[in-house]
Amino acid sequence: MPATATLADLTSFCDTLTRRAEFKDFTGSHNGLQVANTGKVRRIAAAVDAGLAAFEAATRLGADFLIVHHGLYWEPSVPVVGKHHAKMRHLMVNDLAVYASHLPLDAHPEIGNNALLAKVLGLTVGEGFLPYEGKPIGLLAPFGKPRSELRERLGAAFPKGFQSIEFGPETPRVIGILTGSGASAVSHLKAAGVDTLITGELRQQHFNQAQEEGLNLYLCGHYATETFGVKALAERCAKEFGLPWDFIETGCPL
């Protein structure tokens, strides 16, 4: 008989592992269980975003518990009509629960996006930086090698490509890692002793800022830099409860 877990046990495991209660996230993020099912889980799926395409893919895989990084609730309260109704109806009809973990899954020292990206790049993780509500959400990593070597490592980690803005030192001394959007970090790099930032995406004005402040900026894709954490969390859950799991690749190029 296939293994099953209760929704309550699985949710509690995720809450504890991600240290959900310790993090105050951005307004509206609602980390934790966002949509319940009828109480049993037989298969886990993971995706970066809580979109209808990911929900439909999870259902095709037979999943009844979906872990996402970007959850359902980023907008102000809205009527459950149109696209919102389509998503909620799919979850209810197919008994699919949704669990979201945003900043806790970026900053986690073992299964966080930042830590896992550093591991993939072969970087030694130092202290955290860029505190948000008292918790650092980025990581620092000493480097001291030519940036050409860093580009090679990034190319291997992100074969679909990345963007380079190189006005910093040829031999980066300290790398900052902030997956997803790095817009909040750029103005704090110099104070943190960072000359090189690896992130997902930035804004147009950061090109000039990098030039004026002597920074190296590497943009690897918001989506691409945030696939690591949901995979790791799903894998840990699957191992703990003896359940199968899948990652849903949506092909987001941004």
Side-chain angles (χ1 to χ4, degrees), residues 41-116:
V41 176
R42 297 172 182 80
R43 191 179 194 96
I44 299 167
V48 174
D49 304 304
L52 182 58
F55 297 166
E56 291 172 342
T59 298
R60 288 194 296 271
L61 291 166
D64 36 29
F65 186 80
L66 176 65
I67 296 170
V68 298
H69 185 54
H70 302 130
L72 284 159
Y73 304 115
W74 295 100
E75 301 172 350
S77 298
V78 294
V80 183
V81 299
K83 64 178 183 179
H84 304 291
H85 174 264
K87 288 191 285 189
M88 295 304 294
R89 183 176 187 278
H90 185 93
L91 295 175
M92 298 302 172
V93 168
N94 294 282
D95 202 31
L96 176 61
V98 177
Y99 184 96
S101 186
H102 186 234
L103 291 186
L105 203 53
D106 283 319
H108 196 281
E110 297 175 17
I111 61 168
N113 288 313
N114 297 319
L116 291 173

Side-chain angles (χ1 to χ4, degrees), residues 26-37:
F26 302 138
T27 301
S29 60
H30 296 292
N31 291 315
L33 187 66
Q34 294 193 334
V35 179
N37 68 3

Side-chain angles (χ1 to χ4, degrees), residues 24 51 58 77 79-80 87-88 93 124 135 147 154 205 223 233-234 237-238 246:
K24 184 175 181 180
S77 298
V80 183
K87 288 191 285 189
M88 295 304 294
V93 168
T124 301
K135 295 285 186 180
R147 65 188 182 193
L154 288 169
Q205 67 263 30
Y223 175 90
L233 179 55
C237 289
D246 303 276

Side-chain angles (χ1 to χ4, degrees), residues 107-247:
H108 196 281
E110 297 175 17
I111 61 168
N113 288 313
N114 297 319
L116 291 173
L117 176 53
K119 184 177 180 180
V120 167
L121 295 173
L123 301 176
T124 301
V125 173
E127 61 186 280
F129 87 108
L130 196 66
Y132 178 79
E133 297 290 345
K135 295 285 186 180
I137 59 174
L139 288 178
L140 301 180
F143 196 61
K145 297 179 175 65
R147 65 188 182 193
S148 58
E149 181 173 331
L150 180 59
R151 285 197 302 270
E152 289 179 7
R153 297 187 192 187
L154 288 169
F158 300 101
K160 292 184 179 179
F162 62 94
Q163 295 175 305
S164 302
I165 300 172
E166 296 180 325
F167 294 112
E170 292 276 356
T171 303
R173 187 177 63 85
V174 178
I175 295 172
I177 301 174
L178 185 66
T179 56
S181 173
S184 61
V186 179
S187 295
H188 301 276
L189 297 180
K190 284 295 187 180
V194 175
D195 52 45
T196 299
L197 176 68
I198 297 171
T199 188
E201 63 174 341
L202 290 172
R203 297 173 182 164
Q204 188 272 340
Q205 67 263 30
H206 295 126
F207 178 86
N208 292 331
Q209 192 170 349
Q211 189 175 40
E212 293 162 1
E213 297 186 14
L215 300 170
N216 297 314
L217 306 176
Y218 296 99
L219 288 62
C220 305
H222 193 131
Y223 175 90
T225 60
E226 294 192 326
T227 60
F228 304 100
V230 288
K231 290 179 181 178
L233 179 55
E235 185 176 22
R236 291 283 288 271
C237 289
K239 183 177 180 180
E240 177 71 15
F241 294 96
L243 301 174
W245 76 279
D246 303 276
F247 176 68

